[in-house]
Amino acid sequence: MAKDKSNKKDNKAPASIQNRKARYDYLISDTVEAGMVLVGSEVKSLYSGLGNLTDAYCRVVNGEMWLFNLDIEPYEKTSAFQHERRRDRKCLLHRKEIDTLERKTLEKGFTLIPLSIYFKDGRAKVLIGLGRGKANYDKRASIAEKDTRKEVEQARALRF
């Protein structure tokens, strides 16, 4: 007799957390993938998709990359060892990458913005982008370009 597969657990993939406003407000020129130093309940919350990157930013402090203002909601099934929601978290990068990013951020207008948090090979990773702030006319141009792309896709869908 065939086994009943309904008893299996649903192995859903971990949710990735995106910072959609970063690509709207900044022109991203370079990206780098970094690991993060987290506690257990933070990893479980991120796996469930309970994080927020909207106000987060990165900075090099004493030769180390730090992630500030990342909001990770407490894991509901943890009782004793809850983590702080908005604590500073250390990013794990090679020394050469940190030095390169620090040099680039000293240029006028560049900043380090976390773009997304995702899981790769069972470990939480953050995608950090080197961005320059957009002016208002750049934002309007990107919105217009997005709208034209959307109209072309809709016209193509109606055609077939």
Side-chain angles (χ1 to χ4, degrees), residues 16-76:
S16 67
I17 300 162
Q18 303 293 323
N19 188 355
R20 292 147 109 231
K21 192 167 183 171
R23 295 204 187 266
Y24 176 74
D25 288 337
Y26 297 96
L27 182 67
I28 306 299
S29 61
D30 193 18
T31 60
V32 65
E33 181 183 76
M36 291 186 293
V37 177
L38 300 170
V39 296
S41 62
E42 290 176 328
V43 176
K44 291 180 179 186
S45 290
L46 286 176
Y47 196 86
S48 301
L50 301 175
N52 190 358
L53 281 171
T54 50
D55 297 332
Y57 62 96
C58 293
R59 187 183 298 161
V60 178
V61 179
N62 295 329
E64 297 176 336
M65 181 71 72
W66 287 86
L67 180 61
F68 297 96
N69 265 352
L70 171 62
D71 183 22
I72 301 176
E73 293 182 27
Y75 189 62
E76 71 265 358

Coordinates of all heavy atoms in Angstrom, one line a residue, residues 16-76:
S16 N 12.4 35.6 2.5 CA 13.4 36.6 2.4 C 12.8 38.0 2.7 O 11.6 38.2 2.4 CB 14.0 36.6 1.0 OG 13.1 37.0 0.1
I17 N 13.5 38.8 3.3 CA 13.1 40.2 3.7 C 13.7 41.2 2.8 O 14.9 41.2 2.6 CB 13.4 40.4 5.2 CG1 12.8 39.4 6.0 CG2 13.0 41.8 5.6 CD1 13.4 39.2 7.4
Q18 N 12.9 42.0 2.1 CA 13.4 43.0 1.1 C 13.3 44.4 1.7 O 12.3 44.7 2.4 CB 12.6 42.8 -0.2 CG 12.6 41.5 -0.8 CD 13.9 41.1 -1.3 OE1 14.7 41.9 -1.8 NE2 14.3 39.8 -1.1
N19 N 14.2 45.2 1.2 CA 14.1 46.7 1.5 C 13.8 47.3 0.2 O 14.6 47.8 -0.5 CB 15.4 47.2 2.1 CG 15.4 48.6 2.6 OD1 14.3 49.3 2.4 ND2 16.4 49.1 3.2
R20 N 12.5 47.4 -0.1 CA 12.1 47.9 -1.4 C 12.3 49.4 -1.6 O 12.5 50.0 -2.6 CB 10.6 47.6 -1.7 CG 10.4 46.1 -1.8 CD 9.1 45.6 -1.3 NE 8.1 45.3 -2.3 CZ 6.9 45.7 -2.4 NH1 6.5 46.6 -1.6 NH2 6.0 45.3 -3.3
K21 N 12.2 50.1 -0.5 CA 12.4 51.6 -0.5 C 13.8 52.0 -0.8 O 14.1 53.0 -1.3 CB 12.0 52.2 0.8 CG 11.8 53.7 0.8 CD 11.1 54.2 2.0 CE 11.0 55.7 1.8 NZ 10.2 56.3 2.8
A22 N 14.8 51.1 -0.5 CA 16.2 51.4 -0.8 C 16.5 51.6 -2.3 O 17.2 52.5 -2.7 CB 17.1 50.3 -0.2
R23 N 15.9 50.7 -3.1 CA 16.1 50.9 -4.5 C 15.4 52.1 -5.1 O 15.7 52.6 -6.2 CB 15.7 49.6 -5.3 CG 16.6 48.4 -4.9 CD 16.7 47.4 -5.9 NE 17.4 46.2 -5.5 CZ 18.6 46.0 -5.7 NH1 19.4 46.9 -6.3 NH2 19.2 44.9 -5.2
Y24 N 14.4 52.5 -4.4 CA 13.6 53.7 -4.9 C 14.4 55.0 -4.5 O 14.5 56.0 -5.2 CB 12.2 53.8 -4.2 CG 11.5 55.0 -4.5 CD1 10.9 55.2 -5.8 CD2 11.3 56.0 -3.6 CE1 10.2 56.3 -6.1 CE2 10.5 57.1 -3.9 CZ 10.0 57.3 -5.1 OH 9.3 58.4 -5.4
D25 N 15.0 55.0 -3.3 CA 15.6 56.2 -2.8 C 17.1 56.3 -3.1 O 17.7 57.4 -3.1 CB 15.6 56.3 -1.2 CG 14.2 56.6 -0.7 OD1 13.4 57.2 -1.5 OD2 13.8 56.3 0.4
Y26 N 17.7 55.2 -3.5 CA 19.2 55.2 -3.8 C 19.5 54.5 -5.1 O 18.8 53.6 -5.5 CB 19.9 54.4 -2.7 CG 19.8 55.0 -1.3 CD1 18.9 54.6 -0.4 CD2 20.7 56.1 -0.9 CE1 18.8 55.2 0.8 CE2 20.6 56.6 0.3 CZ 19.6 56.2 1.2 OH 19.5 56.8 2.4
L27 N 20.5 55.0 -5.7 CA 21.1 54.4 -6.9 C 22.1 53.4 -6.5 O 23.2 53.8 -6.0 CB 21.6 55.4 -7.9 CG 22.1 54.9 -9.2 CD1 21.0 54.4 -10.0 CD2 22.8 56.0 -10.0
I28 N 21.9 52.1 -6.6 CA 22.8 51.1 -6.0 C 23.9 50.8 -7.1 O 23.6 50.4 -8.2 CB 22.1 49.8 -5.7 CG1 20.9 50.1 -4.7 CG2 23.0 48.8 -5.1 CD1 21.3 50.7 -3.4
S29 N 25.1 51.0 -6.7 CA 26.2 50.8 -7.7 C 27.0 49.5 -7.4 O 27.5 48.9 -8.4 CB 27.2 52.0 -7.6 OG 27.8 52.0 -6.3
D30 N 27.0 49.0 -6.2 CA 27.7 47.8 -5.9 C 27.0 47.0 -4.8 O 26.5 47.7 -3.9 CB 29.2 48.1 -5.5 CG 30.1 46.9 -5.5 OD1 29.8 45.9 -6.1 OD2 31.2 47.0 -4.9
T31 N 27.1 45.7 -4.8 CA 26.5 44.9 -3.7 C 27.5 43.9 -3.2 O 28.4 43.5 -3.9 CB 25.3 44.2 -4.2 OG1 25.6 43.3 -5.2 CG2 24.2 45.1 -4.6
V32 N 27.4 43.6 -1.9 CA 28.2 42.5 -1.3 C 27.4 41.7 -0.3 O 26.4 42.2 0.3 CB 29.4 43.2 -0.6 CG1 29.0 44.0 0.6 CG2 30.4 42.2 -0.1
E33 N 27.6 40.4 -0.3 CA 26.9 39.5 0.6 C 27.7 39.4 1.9 O 28.9 39.1 1.9 CB 26.7 38.2 -0.1 CG 26.0 37.2 0.7 CD 25.9 35.8 0.0 OE1 26.9 35.1 0.0 OE2 24.8 35.5 -0.5
A34 N 27.0 39.5 3.0 CA 27.7 39.3 4.3 C 26.8 38.4 5.2 O 25.6 38.4 5.1 CB 27.8 40.7 5.0
G35 N 27.5 37.8 6.1 CA 26.9 37.0 7.2 C 26.5 37.9 8.3 O 27.0 39.1 8.4
M36 N 25.8 37.4 9.3 CA 25.4 38.3 10.5 C 25.6 37.4 11.7 O 25.4 36.2 11.7 CB 23.9 38.7 10.4 CG 23.6 39.7 9.3 SD 22.0 40.3 9.4 CE 21.0 38.8 9.0
V37 N 26.0 38.1 12.8 CA 26.1 37.5 14.1 C 24.7 37.7 14.8 O 24.3 38.8 15.1 CB 27.2 38.2 15.0 CG1 27.2 37.5 16.4 CG2 28.5 38.0 14.3
L38 N 24.0 36.5 15.0 CA 22.6 36.5 15.5 C 22.5 35.5 16.7 O 23.3 34.6 16.8 CB 21.6 36.1 14.4 CG 21.6 37.0 13.2 CD1 20.7 36.3 12.1 CD2 21.0 38.4 13.5
V39 N 21.5 35.7 17.5 CA 21.2 34.7 18.5 C 20.1 33.9 18.0 O 19.5 34.2 16.9 CB 20.8 35.4 19.8 CG1 21.9 36.2 20.4 CG2 19.5 36.3 19.7
G40 N 19.8 32.7 18.6 CA 18.9 31.7 18.1 C 17.5 32.2 17.8 O 16.9 31.9 16.8
S41 N 16.9 33.0 18.7 CA 15.6 33.5 18.5 C 15.5 34.5 17.3 O 14.5 34.5 16.7 CB 15.0 34.1 19.8 OG 15.8 35.3 20.1
E42 N 16.6 35.2 17.1 CA 16.6 36.1 15.9 C 16.6 35.3 14.6 O 15.9 35.7 13.6 CB 17.8 37.0 15.9 CG 17.8 38.0 17.0 CD 19.1 38.8 17.1 OE1 20.2 38.3 16.8 OE2 19.0 40.0 17.5
V43 N 17.3 34.2 14.6 CA 17.3 33.4 13.4 C 16.0 32.8 13.1 O 15.5 32.8 12.0 CB 18.4 32.2 13.5 CG1 18.4 31.3 12.4 CG2 19.8 32.8 13.7
K44 N 15.3 32.3 14.2 CA 14.0 31.7 14.0 C 13.0 32.8 13.5 O 12.1 32.5 12.7 CB 13.5 31.1 15.3 CG 14.3 29.9 15.6 CD 13.8 29.3 16.9 CE 14.6 28.0 17.2 NZ 14.0 27.3 18.4
S45 N 13.1 34.0 14.0 CA 12.2 35.1 13.6 C 12.4 35.4 12.1 O 11.5 35.7 11.3 CB 12.4 36.3 14.5 OG 11.9 36.1 15.7
L46 N 13.7 35.5 11.7 CA 14.0 35.9 10.3 C 13.6 34.7 9.4 O 13.1 35.0 8.3 CB 15.5 36.1 10.2 CG 16.1 37.4 10.7 CD1 17.6 37.5 10.6 CD2 15.4 38.6 10.0
Y47 N 13.7 33.5 9.9 CA 13.2 32.4 9.1 C 11.7 32.5 8.8 O 11.3 32.1 7.7 CB 13.6 31.1 9.8 CG 13.5 29.8 8.9 CD1 14.6 29.4 8.2 CD2 12.4 29.1 8.8 CE1 14.6 28.3 7.4 CE2 12.3 27.9 8.0 CZ 13.4 27.6 7.3 OH 13.4 26.5 6.5
S48 N 11.0 33.0 9.8 CA 9.6 33.2 9.6 C 9.2 34.5 8.8 O 8.1 34.7 8.6 CB 8.9 33.3 11.0 OG 9.2 32.1 11.7
G49 N 10.2 35.3 8.6 CA 10.0 36.5 7.8 C 9.6 37.7 8.7 O 9.0 38.6 8.2
L50 N 9.9 37.7 10.0 CA 9.5 38.7 10.9 C 10.6 39.8 11.1 O 11.0 40.0 12.2 CB 9.1 38.1 12.3 CG 8.0 37.1 12.2 CD1 7.8 36.5 13.6 CD2 6.7 37.7 11.8
G51 N 11.1 40.3 10.0 CA 12.1 41.4 10.1 C 11.7 42.6 9.3 O 10.9 42.5 8.4
N52 N 12.3 43.7 9.6 CA 12.0 45.0 8.9 C 13.3 45.7 8.6 O 14.0 46.1 9.5 CB 11.0 45.8 9.7 CG 10.4 47.0 8.9 OD1 10.8 47.2 7.8 ND2 9.6 47.7 9.6
L53 N 13.5 46.0 7.3 CA 14.8 46.7 6.9 C 14.6 48.2 6.6 O 15.5 48.8 6.1 CB 15.3 46.0 5.7 CG 16.1 44.7 5.9 CD1 16.4 44.0 4.6 CD2 17.4 45.0 6.6
T54 N 13.4 48.7 6.8 CA 13.2 50.1 6.2 C 14.1 51.2 6.8 O 14.5 52.0 6.1 CB 11.7 50.5 6.4 OG1 11.4 50.3 7.8 CG2 10.8 49.7 5.5
D55 N 14.4 51.2 8.1 CA 15.2 52.2 8.7 C 16.7 51.7 8.9 O 17.5 52.4 9.5 CB 14.7 52.6 10.0 CG 13.3 53.3 9.9 OD1 13.0 53.8 8.8 OD2 12.5 53.2 10.8
A56 N 17.0 50.5 8.4 CA 18.3 50.0 8.7 C 19.4 50.6 7.8 O 19.2 51.0 6.7 CB 18.3 48.5 8.5
Y57 N 20.6 50.6 8.3 CA 21.8 51.1 7.6 C 23.0 50.4 8.1 O 23.0 49.8 9.2 CB 21.9 52.6 7.7 CG 22.2 53.1 9.1 CD1 23.4 53.4 9.5 CD2 21.1 53.4 9.9 CE1 23.6 53.9 10.8 CE2 21.3 53.9 11.2 CZ 22.6 54.1 11.6 OH 22.8 54.6 12.9
C58 N 24.1 50.5 7.4 CA 25.4 49.8 7.8 C 26.4 50.9 7.9 O 26.4 51.9 7.3 CB 25.8 48.8 6.7 SG 24.8 47.4 6.6
R59 N 27.4 50.6 8.8 CA 28.5 51.5 9.0 C 29.7 50.8 9.5 O 29.6 49.7 10.1 CB 28.1 52.6 10.0 CG 29.2 53.7 10.2 CD 28.8 54.6 11.3 NE 27.6 55.3 11.0 CZ 26.9 56.0 11.9 NH1 27.2 56.0 13.1 NH2 25.7 56.6 11.6
V60 N 30.9 51.2 9.1 CA 32.1 50.6 9.6 C 32.6 51.3 10.8 O 32.8 52.6 10.8 CB 33.3 50.7 8.5 CG1 34.5 50.1 9.0 CG2 32.8 50.0 7.2
V61 N 32.7 50.6 11.9 CA 33.1 51.1 13.2 C 34.3 50.3 13.7 O 34.2 49.1 13.9 CB 31.9 51.0 14.3 CG1 32.4 51.6 15.6 CG2 30.7 51.8 13.7
N62 N 35.4 51.0 13.9 CA 36.6 50.3 14.4 C 37.1 49.1 13.5 O 37.4 48.1 14.0 CB 36.5 49.8 15.9 CG 36.3 51.0 16.8 OD1 36.8 52.1 16.6 ND2 35.6 50.8 17.9
G63 N 36.9 49.3 12.2 CA 37.4 48.2 11.3 C 36.4 47.1 11.2 O 36.7 46.0 10.6
E64 N 35.2 47.2 11.8 CA 34.2 46.1 11.7 C 32.9 46.7 11.1 O 32.6 47.8 11.3 CB 33.9 45.6 13.1 CG 35.0 44.9 13.7 CD 34.7 44.4 15.1 OE1 33.8 45.0 15.8 OE2 35.4 43.5 15.6
M65 N 32.2 45.9 10.3 CA 31.0 46.3 9.7 C 29.8 46.0 10.7 O 29.7 44.9 11.2 CB 30.7 45.5 8.4 CG 29.5 45.9 7.6 SD 29.5 47.5 6.9 CE 30.6 47.3 5.6
W66 N 29.0 47.0 10.9 CA 27.9 46.9 11.8 C 26.6 47.2 11.1 O 26.5 48.1 10.3 CB 28.0 47.8 13.0 CG 29.1 47.3 14.0 CD1 30.4 47.5 13.9 CD2 28.9 46.4 15.1 NE1 31.1 46.8 14.9 CE2 30.1 46.2 15.7 CE3 27.7 45.8 15.7 CZ2 30.3 45.4 16.8 CZ3 27.9 45.0 16.8 CH2 29.2 44.8 17.3
L67 N 25.5 46.5 11.5 CA 24.2 46.8 10.9 C 23.3 47.4 12.0 O 23.1 46.8 13.1 CB 23.6 45.5 10.4 CG 22.2 45.5 9.8 CD1 22.1 46.3 8.6 CD2 21.8 44.0 9.5
F68 N 22.8 48.6 11.8 CA 22.1 49.4 12.8 C 20.6 49.4 12.4 O 20.3 49.4 11.2 CB 22.6 50.8 12.9 CG 24.0 50.9 13.4 CD1 25.1 51.0 12.4 CD2 24.3 50.8 14.7 CE1 26.4 51.1 12.9 CE2 25.7 50.9 15.1 CZ 26.7 51.0 14.2
N69 N 19.7 49.5 13.4 CA 18.3 49.7 13.2 C 17.6 48.6 12.5 O 16.5 48.8 12.0 CB 18.0 51.0 12.5 CG 17.8 52.1 13.5 OD1 17.6 51.9 14.7 ND2 17.6 53.3 13.0
L70 N 18.1 47.4 12.4 CA 17.4 46.3 11.9 C 16.4 45.8 12.9 O 16.7 45.5 14.1 CB 18.3 45.1 11.5 CG 17.7 43.8 11.1 CD1 16.8 44.0 9.9 CD2 18.7 42.7 10.9
D71 N 15.1 45.8 12.6 CA 14.0 45.5 13.5 C 13.6 44.0 13.3 O 13.1 43.6 12.2 CB 12.8 46.4 13.3 CG 11.7 46.1 14.2 OD1 12.0 45.5 15.3 OD2 10.6 46.5 13.9
I72 N 14.0 43.1 14.2 CA 13.6 41.7 14.2 C 12.6 41.5 15.4 O 12.9 41.7 16.5 CB 14.8 40.8 14.3 CG1 15.8 41.1 13.2 CG2 14.3 39.3 14.3 CD1 17.0 40.2 13.3
E73 N 11.4 41.1 15.0 CA 10.3 40.9 16.0 C 10.7 39.7 16.9 O 11.3 38.7 16.4 CB 9.0 40.6 15.4 CG 8.4 41.8 14.7 CD 7.1 41.5 14.1 OE1 6.4 40.6 14.6 OE2 6.7 42.2 13.1
P74 N 10.4 39.7 18.2 CA 10.7 38.6 19.0 C 9.9 37.3 18.6 O 8.8 37.4 18.1 CB 10.1 39.0 20.4 CG 10.1 40.5 20.3 CD 9.8 40.8 18.9
Y75 N 10.6 36.2 18.7 CA 10.0 34.9 18.4 C 9.0 34.5 19.4 O 9.3 34.5 20.6 CB 11.1 33.9 18.3 CG 10.7 32.5 17.7 CD1 10.2 32.5 16.4 CD2 10.8 31.4 18.4 CE1 9.8 31.2 15.9 CE2 10.4 30.2 17.9 CZ 9.9 30.1 16.6 OH 9.5 28.9 16.1
E76 N 7.7 34.2 19.0 CA 6.6 34.1 20.0 C 6.8 32.8 20.8 O 6.2 32.8 21.9 CB 5.3 34.1 19.3 CG 5.0 32.8 18.4 CD 5.3 33.0 16.9 OE1 5.8 34.1 16.5 OE2 5.2 32.0 16.2

